[in-house]
Amino acid sequence: MQHVTVPQDRIGVVIGAGGETMREIEDRAGVRLDVDSESGSVAIEETDDPVAALVAPDVIKAIGRGFKPETALSILDHDLRTLELIDLAEHTRNDNDLQRKKGRIIGENGRTRELIEELTGANVVVYGTTVGAVGGPEELQVVRRAVGMLLDGAPHGAVYSYLERKSNELNDDVSFNAPR
């Protein structure tokens, strides 16, 4: 049995309306969830597929870190799709520094975060002291680097250029030209 702790304000999202999200996670991951609404603790017990059960904690963590349940459940759909969490507290000196760096990652009206999502194909959420990303290995590598650049104080323009270059590389890798 595994345990995951979810922030108090996200417990309702894990459970869902009438327990719908919780049941969907249980059905799709082959687990049984025991949610303690008071402490935010979620016990995960394997009932079916051991491989899917290994991924179930990441689904719960993703919802707890601010992802929509559909995005979190997408981790179960693709073998290579995973959750990556970047702890901003490790990269900041105090609360003011944390807020400033979160602001750099989010951008004006959320535009920088949206661009990171658009140009990498990963889903990105900034919640509490973490940046969460759900995507494939190459997508997550680009997200990690872009967030790292922003945390290190790189100009937004340089980060956008990096993201566009990597987006073109990712798209070139999947596209192919048919012989004429």
Side-chain angles (χ1 to χ4, degrees), residues 21 24-26 28-29 55 59 62-63 68-78 81 134:
T21 303
E24 186 171 357
I25 294 168
E26 288 177 333
R28 292 186 49 198
V55 178
V59 173
I63 295 171
K68 294 178 183 174
E70 308 82 63
T71 303
L73 284 162
S74 74
I75 296 169
L76 293 168
D77 297 334
H78 308 285
R81 200 162 164 81
V134 171

Side-chain angles (χ1 to χ4, degrees), residues 107-176:
E108 192 171 330
N109 298 320
R111 189 65 187 131
T112 300
R113 186 197 59 78
E114 287 174 5
L115 268 173
I116 294 171
E117 282 189 330
E118 285 174 25
L119 294 173
T120 63
N123 297 90
V124 178
V125 170
V126 180
Y127 178 87
T129 61
T130 61
V131 174
V134 171
E138 297 88 5
E139 297 166 348
L140 294 179
Q141 183 179 3
V142 175
V143 170
R144 258 192 319 273
R145 178 74 182 113
V147 169
M149 290 171 72
L150 289 166
L151 290 172
D152 289 341
H156 280 80
V159 176
Y160 299 158
S161 295
Y162 167 77
L163 287 167
E164 287 175 4
R165 186 173 69 252
K166 287 298 183 181
S167 174
N168 290 336
E169 288 175 18
L170 287 173
N171 291 334
D172 286 347
D173 285 348
V174 272
S175 65
F176 60 93

Side-chain angles (χ1 to χ4, degrees), residues 1-6 11 14-15 22-23 25-26 29-47 53 55-61:
M1 183 176 300
Q2 300 180 60
H3 293 271
V4 175
T5 303
V6 176
I11 287 289
V14 171
I15 296 170
M22 190 170 104
R23 276 193 303 279
I25 294 168
E26 288 177 333
V31 296
R32 194 175 78 58
L33 302 178
D34 183 17
V35 180
D36 182 344
S37 305
E38 296 295 314
S39 68
S41 176
V42 180
I44 304 161
E45 184 180 343
E46 175 191 325
T47 61
V55 178
D58 281 348
V59 173
I60 304 293
K61 283 181 200 170

